[in-house]
Amino acid sequence: MLKESESLLLRIFIGESDKYDGKTLYQYLVEFLRKNHFSGVTVLRGITGFGKASKIRSSDLLEISSDLPIIIEIVDSADNIQELKKIFSCTDMLGSALITEEKIKVIRYGTD
Amino acid sequence: MLKESESLLLRIFIGESDKYDGKTLYQYLVEFLRKNHFSGVTVLRGITGFGKASKIRSSDLLEISSDLPIIIEIVDSADNIQELKKIFSCTDMLGSALITEEKIKVIRYGTD
Amino acid sequence: MLKESESLLLRIFIGESDKYDGKTLYQYLVEFLRKNHFSGVTVLRGITGFGKASKIRSSDLLEISSDLPIIIEIVDSADNIQELKKIFSCTDMLGSALITEEKIKVIRYGTD
């Protein structure tokens, strides 16, 4: 049996060396999302890129401390994503991160 | 000349150590998709993440057998993606994988 | 304060060893996008995949010159993405690259 449900994909674009509360920001966020029972979290590391400030982050230079782009992806119900956006709007955790939202369908097979 | 066509992006979220039929699942799926003439297949490996079961997969721990998140992306026509979903619904290949679907436009330039 | 704006995500799928004008194509594109004031650019490297020509690109084989899949993601306003597509249609820079476009929302918090 196939079940489809409308959901949202939230993507948070930060740098690998961004910090919050003395921890690496992306690790802080993953821990935060796990503790608050969000699901479908995947963290991707890019090989280069840049944001509004136009600074190129890259692994091409042999640097000991590189600042590669990080994308944190969260797939969850519209209700849960709205809740998460409310939490983000009451904290300075994300600094000037780029955040995008997309409508997606979640597809499940069988019984779960 | 610019041509645009409505298509679908299917994304399958699994673990790097997931197996099927004695093979690594993501390699099995790539081989399966190639043999069945799907196109636009890209496999991404995340650096950490978790699913419904809330187990954190991470490359931060120095483990010999890590289980990093894998995303298999398939860009194809709506017809081909529907066909693929039918195939998936008749097999236990994907276990409890998270699968998402998004409407996208494919843009092509020139003649091909 | 939360601000949301309709935007577009353009994704360009190429190979890591693709060249243009004597340079690695993905590096050429990132430099081009930065010089032309596009923002929200992230480059991801896949671990395997294939396109229309069905050639599997993979890091599983121990090759000195591998040709892994590269995704260049650009998040920008609809106007800027239309402008970029116009530029792409007047150049052979992208060869037979797969390009996809998705509607997204950009979410910003605070003042910027």
Side-chain angles (χ1 to χ4, degrees):
Chain A
M1 201 185 73
L2 185 145
K3 282 178 290 183
E4 302 194 345
S5 62
E6 303 297 325
S7 300
L8 292 176
L9 166 63
L10 201 75
R11 301 178 89 210
I12 304 170
F13 297 74
I14 58 173
E16 193 175 13
S17 65
D18 291 350
K19 304 278 182 220
Y20 185 74
D21 201 19
K23 289 188 75 167
T24 302
L25 178 55
Y26 83 82
Q27 289 171 329
Y28 183 96
L29 278 167
V30 168
E31 195 55 35
F32 172 87
L33 292 164
R34 199 186 55 78
K35 276 186 192 154
N36 287 276
H37 309 295
F38 290 93
S39 63
V41 173
T42 309
V43 179
L44 299 169
R45 182 197 279 129
I47 57 168
T48 184
F50 60 87
K52 283 239 155 182
S54 210
K55 186 180 59 160
I56 289 193
R57 297 177 157 118
S58 178
S59 62
D60 297 329
L61 308 170
L62 291 170
E63 295 178 357
I64 286 172
S65 67
S66 61
D67 186 25
L68 296 177
I70 293 282
I71 308 177
I72 298 154
E73 300 202 346
I74 307 151
V75 172
D76 215 322
S77 68
D79 283 356
N80 285 354
I81 296 292
Q82 294 307 332
E83 187 64 32
L84 184 59
K85 284 160 65 180
K86 253 186 237 169
I87 295 170
F88 284 156
S89 70
C90 303
T91 166
D92 58 352
M93 203 193 291
L94 293 180
S96 59
L98 171 65
I99 304 173
T100 67
E101 185 185 287
E102 300 170 50
K103 284 182 190 165
I104 60 167
K105 261 196 241 176
V106 167
I107 299 164
R108 285 191 199 287
Y109 300 102
T111 54
D112 62 346
Chain B
M1 203 186 71
L2 187 145
K3 282 178 288 182
E4 302 194 346
S5 62
E6 303 297 324
S7 299
L8 290 177
L9 166 63
L10 201 75
R11 302 177 90 208
I12 303 170
F13 297 74
I14 58 173
E16 192 174 14
S17 66
D18 290 351
K19 305 276 184 222
Y20 185 75
D21 201 19
K23 288 190 77 169
T24 302
L25 178 56
Y26 83 83
Q27 289 172 329
Y28 183 96
L29 278 166
V30 168
E31 195 54 36
F32 172 88
L33 292 164
R34 199 186 57 78
K35 275 186 192 153
N36 287 275
H37 308 295
F38 289 92
S39 64
V41 173
T42 310
V43 179
L44 298 169
R45 182 196 279 129
I47 57 168
T48 183
F50 60 87
K52 284 239 156 183
S54 209
K55 186 179 59 157
I56 289 194
R57 298 177 157 118
S58 178
S59 62
D60 297 329
L61 307 170
L62 291 170
E63 295 178 358
I64 285 172
S65 67
S66 61
D67 186 25
L68 295 178
I70 293 281
I71 308 178
I72 298 153
E73 300 202 346
I74 308 149
V75 172
D76 215 321
S77 68
D79 282 357
N80 285 354
I81 295 292
Q82 294 308 333
E83 187 63 33
L84 184 57
K85 284 159 63 179
K86 251 186 240 168
I87 295 169
F88 285 156
S89 71
C90 303
T91 165
D92 58 351
M93 203 192 292
L94 291 180
S96 59
L98 172 65
I99 304 173
T100 67
E101 184 185 289
E102 300 170 51
K103 285 182 189 163
I104 60 167
K105 262 195 241 176
V106 167
I107 299 163
R108 286 192 198 285
Y109 300 101
T111 55
D112 61 346
Chain C
M1 204 185 72
L2 186 146
K3 283 178 287 183
E4 302 194 346
S5 61
E6 303 299 324
S7 299
L8 291 176
L9 166 63
L10 201 76
R11 301 177 89 209
I12 304 169
F13 296 75
I14 57 173
E16 192 175 15
S17 66
D18 291 350
K19 304 275 183 221
Y20 184 74
D21 200 19
K23 289 188 75 168
T24 302
L25 178 56
Y26 82 83
Q27 289 172 329
Y28 183 95
L29 278 166
V30 168
E31 194 55 35
F32 172 86
L33 292 164
R34 199 185 56 78
K35 275 187 191 150
N36 288 275
H37 309 295
F38 290 94
S39 64
V41 173
T42 309
V43 179
L44 299 169
R45 181 197 279 128
I47 56 169
T48 184
F50 59 86
K52 284 237 156 182
S54 210
K55 185 179 60 158
I56 288 195
R57 298 177 155 119
S58 179
S59 61
D60 297 329
L61 308 171
L62 292 171
E63 295 179 357
I64 285 172
S65 67
S66 61
D67 187 25
L68 296 177
I70 293 281
I71 308 177
I72 298 155
E73 300 203 346
I74 307 151
V75 172
D76 215 321
S77 67
D79 283 357
N80 284 353
I81 295 292
Q82 294 308 332
E83 186 64 31
L84 184 57
K85 283 158 66 179
K86 252 186 239 168
I87 296 170
F88 285 156
S89 70
C90 303
T91 166
D92 58 351
M93 203 193 291
L94 292 180
S96 60
L98 171 64
I99 305 174
T100 68
E101 183 185 288
E102 301 171 49
K103 284 183 191 164
I104 59 166
K105 261 195 242 177
V106 167
I107 300 164
R108 284 190 201 287
Y109 298 102
T111 55
D112 64 344

